[in-house]
Amino acid sequence: MSRRARALRALEPVALLAVPTVAGLCAYLQLSATGGLVLLVTLLCLALFFASYEASRPALRQILPTATLGAVAAAGRILFAPVPDVKPVSAIAIVAGATLGRQSGFMVGAIAALVSNFFFGQGAWTPMQMYAWGLVGYLAGVLADVGAFRRGWVLYAYGAASGLLYGLLLNGWYVLGYVRPLAWGPVLAAFALGLPLDVTHSAATVGFLAAIWLPWRRAIRRVVAKYGLR
């Protein structure tokens, strides 16, 4: 790995933490341009991850599993479009992060959001969706690296938590960008309105993980071992 790739890889956790940190500071300071500032930091975070992935110069055989899972996640989101918040994206990003590594987990979540929004509609929300689903995949990679998913209940607990995390990030960005005045009453009301959908997302993620975790993990591990992808 080149020096540039190592430097970018080291900055990934910093970039991920920068988004909620800036959001919290903007909310505390009651800045009028909060939504725009958070969006800018989110775009910079995404740019760093894509640059880091490019700098690692992955071979075609390394790119294909990540691209394939990202495409499958996007297609799954479109397929389940008639059912609100029942989407396989979080589950597939978790599987990708756990089997291919945290960087691939992030890329699968981000790609799925970007590609599927050509169907659902692109907008200012797209970067935050890319960040949120990317973070879900990245954290799955971190947990897998420390052996947390050897206990099945941890996997499903994280699947449930990932739905709430995704909702927290998207609802938080909506609040910072559109709720005025930024007071406790309107903020809590906005989060309360989104809670049923977030719980549905969590339950759906657990269900999808129960269906795909074992067969997909087995298949991906065979590919990883055969082609030396990690």
Side-chain angles (χ1 to χ4, degrees):
M1 186 182 293
S2 68
R3 183 178 301 176
R4 174 171 173 262
R6 287 195 296 270
L8 290 171
R9 182 70 64 89
L11 288 173
E12 289 175 358
V14 177
L16 290 173
L17 288 172
V19 176
T21 300
V22 170
L25 285 173
C26 288
Y28 177 76
L29 297 173
Q30 298 279 316
L31 299 180
S32 58
T34 292
L37 288 172
V38 174
L39 179 61
L40 175 60
V41 175
T42 303
L43 287 170
L44 292 174
C45 174
L46 293 170
L48 182 140
F49 265 90
F50 279 88
S52 177
Y53 192 74
E54 186 277 333
S56 66
R57 298 189 181 279
L60 180 60
R61 68 178 187 274
Q62 294 172 309
I63 295 173
L64 281 176
T66 300
T68 300
L69 288 175
V72 170
R77 186 185 179 204
I78 295 170
L79 179 64
F80 284 90
V83 190
D85 280 83
V86 177
K87 306 290 183 288
V89 180
S90 293
I92 295 174
I94 290 170
V95 172
T99 56
L100 297 174
R102 60 188 72 178
Q103 192 178 54
S104 289
F106 186 95
M107 296 301 294
V108 166
I111 290 170
L114 177 64
V115 173
S116 60
N117 274 2
F118 284 105
F119 175 85
F120 291 104
Q122 302 287 355
W125 54 85
T126 298
M128 183 54 70
Q129 289 177 321
M130 293 172 66
Y131 168 81
W133 266 320
L135 180 62
V136 167
Y138 186 91
L139 292 178
V142 172
L143 291 171
D145 285 345
V146 299
F149 290 158
R150 292 171 187 167
R151 302 174 181 86
W153 69 267
V154 177
L155 170 72
Y156 297 113
Y158 176 67
S162 70
L164 299 178
L165 173 63
Y166 178 87
L168 176 67
L169 291 169
L170 269 294
N171 292 334
W173 179 78
Y174 168 79
V175 165
L176 292 174
Y178 298 100
V179 174
R180 295 292 182 273
L182 199 60
W184 281 112
V187 169
L188 292 176
F191 278 100
L193 287 172
L195 185 60
L197 294 175
D198 298 336
V199 171
T200 301
H201 186 182
S202 294
T205 300
V206 172
F208 282 116
L209 280 173
I212 71 174
W213 171 249
L214 290 177
W216 286 32
R217 181 184 63 169
R218 192 179 303 117
I220 293 170
R221 280 182 171 178
R222 281 201 298 266
V223 173
V224 168
K226 183 176 181 179
Y227 295 104
L229 300 184
R230 289 195 65 179

